[in-house]
Amino acid sequence: MTIARILSIAGSDSGGGAGIQADIRTITQLGGHAMTAVTAITVQNSVGVSAIEMIDADIVIAQVDAVVRDFGVDAIKIGMIGSRDSVLAIAQYIEKLDPLPIIFDPVMAASSGAELVNDDGIAAFETLMQSVTLLTPNLLEYERLSQSISPQDYPCDVLIKGGHGEGRVLSERLVRDGEEIQRWQGERIETEHNHGTGCTLSSAIATYMGQGDDMIDAIAKSRQYVRASLQCAPNIGAGHGPMGVPKI
C-alpha cells in the first residue's frame, strides 16, 4: 500500500482552526500522510492574534529537508511564511526538487484581520511563485499582489477565491496567463465559523494532486470538501470559529 506524502510549510494556529493544524486534519482525512515544517508560532483564538514568533529560516529549511530526504514528497502546500528570509530560503529549496505539485496559499492576514506577514515578505512572494504550480489568493490578497504583478505576468496558475466577494453566489476563478480557464460557483454558506477555509482548500488541493488528480478535478473536489466543512462547523468560539470535519 502506498500513501501520498504531503508536506505543509505553514504557521501554527493555537486555536486549531487554520495553519498547520488545519492542514494536518485535512491531509489525514483525505488519505494522505501529513508532514510539516512550522514557519511561525501564533498565539490566537477565534477573536484574534495576540502574538507571533517567527521561526528562523534555517530551522524551517531543516524541517523541510529532514522529511523530504527520508520520506520523500508527492506534493507541497505552502501557507503562512511570515519573513522574507524564510520565503527566499523556501524558494531556493523547492526550485531544486523534481517537478511535483506545489500549492501556495499567500496568507497575509488572519480571519480576524491581524497581519501575518510584512511588506518585505510579500515582496519576496514573486520569487517563490516561480516554482509554484498553483497560487490560491483570496480577492484581497490577489488585489495586493497585482499591485506589483500584472495578471498576464503571474508565473503560475492562479485560483482566485471568492469568499470575500459580495452577493449570494460566489465564484472561484482559475486563471492562466491572465485568462480565465475555469470557473466554479456556489451559494454563500452563511456562518461566522469559517476560520481556516484557505488553509483547508489549499491543503486539500495538494493532497488530491499528490494522489494523482489533475488540477481541475483537485480544485473541484477540494471546494466541495471546504463547503462540507463549513456546513458542519461545531459552533465554538466567540469570533471566527473553526470549521468542522465532514464525513467523506
Side-chain angles (χ1 to χ4, degrees):
M1 178 180 179
T2 60
I3 186 170
R5 303 153 298 179
I6 314 299
L7 170 61
S8 169
I9 306 172
S12 171
D13 171 8
S14 56
I20 286 285
Q21 287 83 350
D23 295 342
I24 294 172
R25 183 168 59 245
T26 301
I27 293 164
T28 301
Q29 191 185 23
L30 296 180
H33 172 66
M35 306 177 293
T36 62
V38 180
T39 60
I41 298 171
T42 69
V43 179
Q44 66 174 297
N45 52 29
S46 69
V47 178
V49 179
S50 57
I52 301 175
E53 180 72 29
M54 297 299 178
I55 305 299
D56 187 84
D58 290 342
I59 298 299
V60 173
I61 296 303
Q63 294 174 80
V64 173
D65 189 58
V67 297
V68 170
R69 282 190 296 105
D70 184 19
F71 300 112
V73 62
D74 296 300
I76 297 174
K77 173 265 170 79
I78 303 172
M80 174 192 174
I81 303 177
S83 74
R84 176 182 174 84
D85 286 349
S86 288
V87 174
L88 296 177
I90 293 166
Q92 184 178 38
Y93 188 94
I94 66 174
E95 72 176 358
K96 299 174 183 177
L97 296 175
D98 292 335
L100 77 164
I102 299 176
I103 316 303
F104 179 27
D105 182 20
V107 177
M108 299 179 188
S111 299
S112 62
E115 291 289 324
L116 299 177
V117 61
N118 60 27
D119 290 339
D120 286 343
I122 293 173
F125 282 178
E126 189 172 0
T127 299
L128 178 58
M129 287 160 51
Q130 302 297 322
S131 300
V132 165
T133 308
L134 178 67
L135 187 75
T136 62
N138 61 37
L139 289 169
L140 300 179
E141 292 161 346
Y142 182 68
E143 179 179 333
R144 189 166 179 181
L145 287 170
S146 295
Q147 292 174 1
S148 57
I149 310 171
S150 71
Q152 294 79 16
D153 292 335
Y154 276 81
C156 58
D157 289 347
V158 184
L159 179 66
I160 306 168
K161 299 176 295 192
H164 286 78
E166 299 180 354
R168 183 177 60 84
V169 177
L170 304 177
S171 298
E172 275 77 50
R173 301 187 297 119
L174 181 61
V175 175
R176 180 175 296 159
D177 298 326
E179 299 292 330
E180 181 180 308
I181 62 173
Q182 187 82 22
R183 177 184 291 237
W184 294 266
Q185 291 185 312
E187 190 165 327
R188 184 189 298 275
I189 298 171
E190 297 291 350
T191 176
E192 286 295 309
H193 299 284
N194 54 14
H195 187 47
T197 50
C199 304
T200 300
L201 179 70
S202 53
S203 56
I205 295 171
T207 304
Y208 283 127
M209 291 189 70
Q211 292 170 338
D213 285 1
D214 65 31
M215 184 186 295
I216 300 293
D217 288 343
I219 292 172
K221 291 161 70 173
S222 298
R223 288 185 70 257
Q224 292 305 312
Y225 179 78
V226 171
R227 292 181 64 81
S229 299
L230 285 167
Q231 289 167 334
C232 69
N235 232 12
I236 57 176
H240 292 280
M243 298 188 296
V245 180
K247 295 180 180 180
I248 57 172

PDB file of all heavy atoms in Angstrom, residues 160-177:
ATOM      1  N   ILE A 160      -8.360  32.293  -7.937  1.00  0.00           N
ATOM      2  CA  ILE A 160      -8.810  33.466  -7.189  1.00  0.00           C
ATOM      3  C   ILE A 160     -10.081  33.085  -6.439  1.00  0.00           C
ATOM      4  O   ILE A 160     -11.116  32.815  -7.043  1.00  0.00           O
ATOM      5  CB  ILE A 160      -9.072  34.652  -8.127  1.00  0.00           C
ATOM      6  CG1 ILE A 160      -7.836  34.930  -8.991  1.00  0.00           C
ATOM      7  CG2 ILE A 160      -9.451  35.899  -7.327  1.00  0.00           C
ATOM      8  CD1 ILE A 160      -8.092  35.883 -10.139  1.00  0.00           C
ATOM      9  N   LYS A 161      -9.983  33.055  -5.108  1.00  0.00           N
ATOM     10  CA  LYS A 161     -11.102  32.612  -4.276  1.00  0.00           C
ATOM     11  C   LYS A 161     -12.111  33.741  -4.090  1.00  0.00           C
ATOM     12  O   LYS A 161     -11.740  34.901  -3.982  1.00  0.00           O
ATOM     13  CB  LYS A 161     -10.573  32.123  -2.925  1.00  0.00           C
ATOM     14  CG  LYS A 161      -9.619  30.933  -3.045  1.00  0.00           C
ATOM     15  CD  LYS A 161      -9.026  30.535  -1.713  1.00  0.00           C
ATOM     16  CE  LYS A 161      -8.128  31.602  -1.139  1.00  0.00           C
ATOM     17  NZ  LYS A 161      -7.327  31.127   0.009  1.00  0.00           N
ATOM     18  N   GLY A 162     -13.379  33.385  -4.011  1.00  0.00           N
ATOM     19  CA  GLY A 162     -14.427  34.396  -3.986  1.00  0.00           C
ATOM     20  C   GLY A 162     -15.064  34.665  -2.647  1.00  0.00           C
ATOM     21  O   GLY A 162     -16.043  35.404  -2.563  1.00  0.00           O
ATOM     22  N   GLY A 163     -14.521  34.099  -1.574  1.00  0.00           N
ATOM     23  CA  GLY A 163     -15.174  34.227  -0.279  1.00  0.00           C
ATOM     24  C   GLY A 163     -15.326  35.646   0.231  1.00  0.00           C
ATOM     25  O   GLY A 163     -16.227  35.928   1.020  1.00  0.00           O
ATOM     26  N   HIS A 164     -14.442  36.559  -0.215  1.00  0.00           N
ATOM     27  CA  HIS A 164     -14.541  37.953   0.210  1.00  0.00           C
ATOM     28  C   HIS A 164     -15.421  38.791  -0.725  1.00  0.00           C
ATOM     29  O   HIS A 164     -15.537  40.004  -0.552  1.00  0.00           O
ATOM     30  CB  HIS A 164     -13.147  38.587   0.290  1.00  0.00           C
ATOM     31  CG  HIS A 164     -12.356  38.126   1.476  1.00  0.00           C
ATOM     32  ND1 HIS A 164     -11.727  36.909   1.516  1.00  0.00           N
ATOM     33  CD2 HIS A 164     -12.100  38.726   2.675  1.00  0.00           C
ATOM     34  CE1 HIS A 164     -11.102  36.776   2.684  1.00  0.00           C
ATOM     35  NE2 HIS A 164     -11.317  37.859   3.396  1.00  0.00           N
ATOM     36  N   GLY A 165     -16.026  38.133  -1.698  1.00  0.00           N
ATOM     37  CA  GLY A 165     -16.904  38.845  -2.615  1.00  0.00           C
ATOM     38  C   GLY A 165     -18.255  39.134  -1.983  1.00  0.00           C
ATOM     39  O   GLY A 165     -18.576  38.663  -0.891  1.00  0.00           O
ATOM     40  N   GLU A 166     -19.043  39.911  -2.677  1.00  0.00           N
ATOM     41  CA  GLU A 166     -20.372  40.271  -2.197  1.00  0.00           C
ATOM     42  C   GLU A 166     -21.433  39.462  -2.938  1.00  0.00           C
ATOM     43  O   GLU A 166     -21.188  38.913  -4.006  1.00  0.00           O
ATOM     44  CB  GLU A 166     -20.621  41.767  -2.391  1.00  0.00           C
ATOM     45  CG  GLU A 166     -19.641  42.652  -1.614  1.00  0.00           C
ATOM     46  CD  GLU A 166     -19.922  44.128  -1.824  1.00  0.00           C
ATOM     47  OE1 GLU A 166     -20.802  44.443  -2.664  1.00  0.00           O
ATOM     48  OE2 GLU A 166     -19.275  44.951  -1.156  1.00  0.00           O
ATOM     49  N   GLY A 167     -22.607  39.394  -2.342  1.00  0.00           N
ATOM     50  CA  GLY A 167     -23.713  38.723  -3.005  1.00  0.00           C
ATOM     51  C   GLY A 167     -23.933  37.303  -2.510  1.00  0.00           C
ATOM     52  O   GLY A 167     -23.161  36.750  -1.729  1.00  0.00           O
ATOM     53  N   ARG A 168     -25.001  36.705  -3.003  1.00  0.00           N
ATOM     54  CA  ARG A 168     -25.410  35.370  -2.568  1.00  0.00           C
ATOM     55  C   ARG A 168     -24.597  34.276  -3.225  1.00  0.00           C
ATOM     56  O   ARG A 168     -24.337  33.231  -2.639  1.00  0.00           O
ATOM     57  CB  ARG A 168     -26.901  35.174  -2.884  1.00  0.00           C
ATOM     58  CG  ARG A 168     -27.482  33.847  -2.422  1.00  0.00           C
ATOM     59  CD  ARG A 168     -28.976  33.791  -2.707  1.00  0.00           C
ATOM     60  NE  ARG A 168     -29.238  33.928  -4.142  1.00  0.00           N
ATOM     61  CZ  ARG A 168     -29.198  32.903  -5.003  1.00  0.00           C
ATOM     62  NH1 ARG A 168     -28.888  31.694  -4.587  1.00  0.00           N
ATOM     63  NH2 ARG A 168     -29.470  33.099  -6.280  1.00  0.00           N
ATOM     64  N   VAL A 169     -24.186  34.499  -4.489  1.00  0.00           N
ATOM     65  CA  VAL A 169     -23.442  33.495  -5.245  1.00  0.00           C
ATOM     66  C   VAL A 169     -21.979  33.932  -5.349  1.00  0.00           C
ATOM     67  O   VAL A 169     -21.681  35.054  -5.770  1.00  0.00           O
ATOM     68  CB  VAL A 169     -24.032  33.292  -6.654  1.00  0.00           C
ATOM     69  CG1 VAL A 169     -23.199  32.291  -7.442  1.00  0.00           C
ATOM     70  CG2 VAL A 169     -25.479  32.810  -6.549  1.00  0.00           C
ATOM     71  N   LEU A 170     -21.072  33.045  -4.969  1.00  0.00           N
ATOM     72  CA  LEU A 170     -19.647  33.328  -5.002  1.00  0.00           C
ATOM     73  C   LEU A 170     -18.974  32.518  -6.097  1.00  0.00           C
ATOM     74  O   LEU A 170     -19.423  31.426  -6.446  1.00  0.00           O
ATOM     75  CB  LEU A 170     -19.010  32.983  -3.656  1.00  0.00           C
ATOM     76  CG  LEU A 170     -19.618  33.671  -2.433  1.00  0.00           C
ATOM     77  CD1 LEU A 170     -18.932  33.188  -1.170  1.00  0.00           C
ATOM     78  CD2 LEU A 170     -19.531  35.182  -2.572  1.00  0.00           C
ATOM     79  N   SER A 171     -17.886  33.066  -6.642  1.00  0.00           N
ATOM     80  CA  SER A 171     -17.180  32.395  -7.730  1.00  0.00           C
ATOM     81  C   SER A 171     -15.711  32.227  -7.398  1.00  0.00           C
ATOM     82  O   SER A 171     -15.097  33.108  -6.791  1.00  0.00           O
ATOM     83  CB  SER A 171     -17.294  33.207  -9.032  1.00  0.00           C
ATOM     84  OG  SER A 171     -18.635  33.325  -9.451  1.00  0.00           O
ATOM     85  N   GLU A 172     -15.155  31.085  -7.784  1.00  0.00           N
ATOM     86  CA  GLU A 172     -13.717  30.866  -7.792  1.00  0.00           C
ATOM     87  C   GLU A 172     -13.285  30.786  -9.249  1.00  0.00           C
ATOM     88  O   GLU A 172     -13.898  30.056 -10.040  1.00  0.00           O
ATOM     89  CB  GLU A 172     -13.330  29.573  -7.061  1.00  0.00           C
ATOM     90  CG  GLU A 172     -13.171  29.714  -5.578  1.00  0.00           C
ATOM     91  CD  GLU A 172     -14.502  29.786  -4.845  1.00  0.00           C
ATOM     92  OE1 GLU A 172     -15.364  28.933  -5.073  1.00  0.00           O
ATOM     93  OE2 GLU A 172     -14.674  30.720  -4.048  1.00  0.00           O
ATOM     94  N   ARG A 173     -12.223  31.515  -9.603  1.00  0.00           N
ATOM     95  CA  ARG A 173     -11.782  31.565 -10.998  1.00  0.00           C
ATOM     96  C   ARG A 173     -10.358  31.055 -11.120  1.00  0.00           C
ATOM     97  O   ARG A 173      -9.466  31.522 -10.422  1.00  0.00           O
ATOM     98  CB  ARG A 173     -11.871  32.998 -11.537  1.00  0.00           C
ATOM     99  CG  ARG A 173     -13.273  33.586 -11.482  1.00  0.00           C
ATOM    100  CD  ARG A 173     -13.361  34.930 -12.176  1.00  0.00           C
ATOM    101  NE  ARG A 173     -12.520  35.931 -11.522  1.00  0.00           N
ATOM    102  CZ  ARG A 173     -11.514  36.560 -12.107  1.00  0.00           C
ATOM    103  NH1 ARG A 173     -11.177  36.289 -13.368  1.00  0.00           N
ATOM    104  NH2 ARG A 173     -10.814  37.471 -11.457  1.00  0.00           N
ATOM    105  N   LEU A 174     -10.136  30.109 -12.020  1.00  0.00           N
ATOM    106  CA  LEU A 174      -8.794  29.622 -12.303  1.00  0.00           C
ATOM    107  C   LEU A 174      -8.263  30.389 -13.504  1.00  0.00           C
ATOM    108  O   LEU A 174      -8.868  30.376 -14.580  1.00  0.00           O
ATOM    109  CB  LEU A 174      -8.811  28.115 -12.598  1.00  0.00           C
ATOM    110  CG  LEU A 174      -7.454  27.476 -12.899  1.00  0.00           C
ATOM    111  CD1 LEU A 174      -6.500  27.613 -11.722  1.00  0.00           C
ATOM    112  CD2 LEU A 174      -7.637  26.003 -13.276  1.00  0.00           C
ATOM    113  N   VAL A 175      -7.137  31.074 -13.301  1.00  0.00           N
ATOM    114  CA  VAL A 175      -6.584  31.969 -14.312  1.00  0.00           C
ATOM    115  C   VAL A 175      -5.196  31.484 -14.718  1.00  0.00           C
ATOM    116  O   VAL A 175      -4.374  31.127 -13.861  1.00  0.00           O
ATOM    117  CB  VAL A 175      -6.513  33.418 -13.784  1.00  0.00           C
ATOM    118  CG1 VAL A 175      -5.828  34.337 -14.778  1.00  0.00           C
ATOM    119  CG2 VAL A 175      -7.912  33.926 -13.444  1.00  0.00           C
ATOM    120  N   ARG A 176      -4.938  31.481 -16.023  1.00  0.00           N
ATOM    121  CA  ARG A 176      -3.624  31.113 -16.559  1.00  0.00           C
ATOM    122  C   ARG A 176      -3.215  32.161 -17.590  1.00  0.00           C
ATOM    123  O   ARG A 176      -3.968  32.461 -18.518  1.00  0.00           O
ATOM    124  CB  ARG A 176      -3.688  29.729 -17.203  1.00  0.00           C
ATOM    125  CG  ARG A 176      -2.365  29.236 -17.804  1.00  0.00           C
ATOM    126  CD  ARG A 176      -2.529  27.805 -18.309  1.00  0.00           C
ATOM    127  NE  ARG A 176      -2.821  26.889 -17.212  1.00  0.00           N
ATOM    128  CZ  ARG A 176      -3.399  25.697 -17.389  1.00  0.00           C
ATOM    129  NH1 ARG A 176      -3.756  25.295 -18.593  1.00  0.00           N
ATOM    130  NH2 ARG A 176      -3.614  24.916 -16.336  1.00  0.00           N
ATOM    131  N   ASP A 177      -2.046  32.753 -17.404  1.00  0.00           N
ATOM    132  CA  ASP A 177      -1.546  33.798 -18.306  1.00  0.00           C
ATOM    133  C   ASP A 177      -2.556  34.926 -18.475  1.00  0.00           C
ATOM    134  O   ASP A 177      -2.731  35.482 -19.560  1.00  0.00           O
ATOM    135  CB  ASP A 177      -1.201  33.200 -19.674  1.00  0.00           C
ATOM    136  CG  ASP A 177      -0.104  32.156 -19.582  1.00  0.00           C
ATOM    137  OD1 ASP A 177       0.797  32.314 -18.742  1.00  0.00           O
ATOM    138  OD2 ASP A 177      -0.160  31.163 -20.340  1.00  0.00           O
TER     139      ASP A 177
END
